[in-house]
Amino acid sequence: AQTVTQSQPEMSVQEAETVTLSCTYDTSENNYYLFWYKQPPSRQMILVIRQEAYKQQNATENRFSVNFQKAAKSFSLKISDSQLGDTAMYFCAFRAGNNRKLIWGLGTSLAVNP
Amino acid sequence: SQTIHQWPATLVQPVGSPLSLECTVEGTSNPNLYWYRQAAGRGLQLLFYSIGIDQISSEVPQNLSASRPQDRQFILSSKKLLLSDSGFYLCAWSGRGNYEQYFGPGTRLTVT
């Protein structure tokens, strides 16, 4: 069975600093996609970044970047120059290429402190 | 551009009452549609997903049901609510050629 594990239930970071959120997954598939979603206090779920497993280059979106280690089945999210608006729950999610469903981690609650 | 709407935003219902939550998508056709439930401080639980009109898969056996009467409309229903149905309900869509899901603003349901 495919699983997604986020081992850090809570994290905090000072404004303007960098923080890395961890995610590991387990799958026997070779074609799959990984995502990080952000859920701020409004509870709107927002897609932050996506990574295709066949791409070796790590995805980046402005201050957000990933460290995708396919052999280790690791997919961490780095947030640079943290801002107060980054305070949110962050969810890691996995989708096998032939599956319409996402497999979700339990989330990491990130607090950015002023 | 595509947008997804959910209503109502907040709902308080007594135990045993019926439920109807609605989700509509604009700006795309033939989307995959999803209903999730999220308990407070917890992860997402997939309830139903649909690949087309009247094509719905149930992930969790419970007293909820889903229907898709139109291509871009997805409805979550219950005949009799339980206390355990309380939670935050999210609707999402994905395109045929895309792999990510996009979410609506959610409905906060409290069953009293």
Side-chain angles (χ1 to χ4, degrees), chain A residues 73-92:
Chain A
K73 297 181 180 175
S74 171
F75 182 60
S76 60
L77 175 69
K78 185 172 81 171
I79 306 174
S80 304
D81 186 24
S82 297
Q83 300 176 359
L84 296 178
D86 295 333
T87 293
M89 281 288 288
Y90 286 82
F91 292 93
C92 179

Side-chain angles (χ1 to χ4, degrees), chain A residues 93-109:
Chain A
F94 165 97
R95 173 175 171 166
N98 60 351
N99 198 322
R100 298 179 182 87
K101 298 183 288 185
L102 291 179
I103 308 299
W104 294 83
L106 294 181
T108 295
S109 178

Side-chain angles (χ1 to χ4, degrees), chain A residues 37 39 44 50 100-101, chain B residues 34 38 59 100-101 103:
Chain A
Y37 283 85
Q39 189 178 38
Q44 171 83 54
R50 60 174 276 176
R100 298 179 182 87
K101 298 183 288 185
Chain B
Y34 307 82
Q38 185 181 30
E59 292 295 302
E100 61 267 25
Q101 294 178 14
F103 287 79

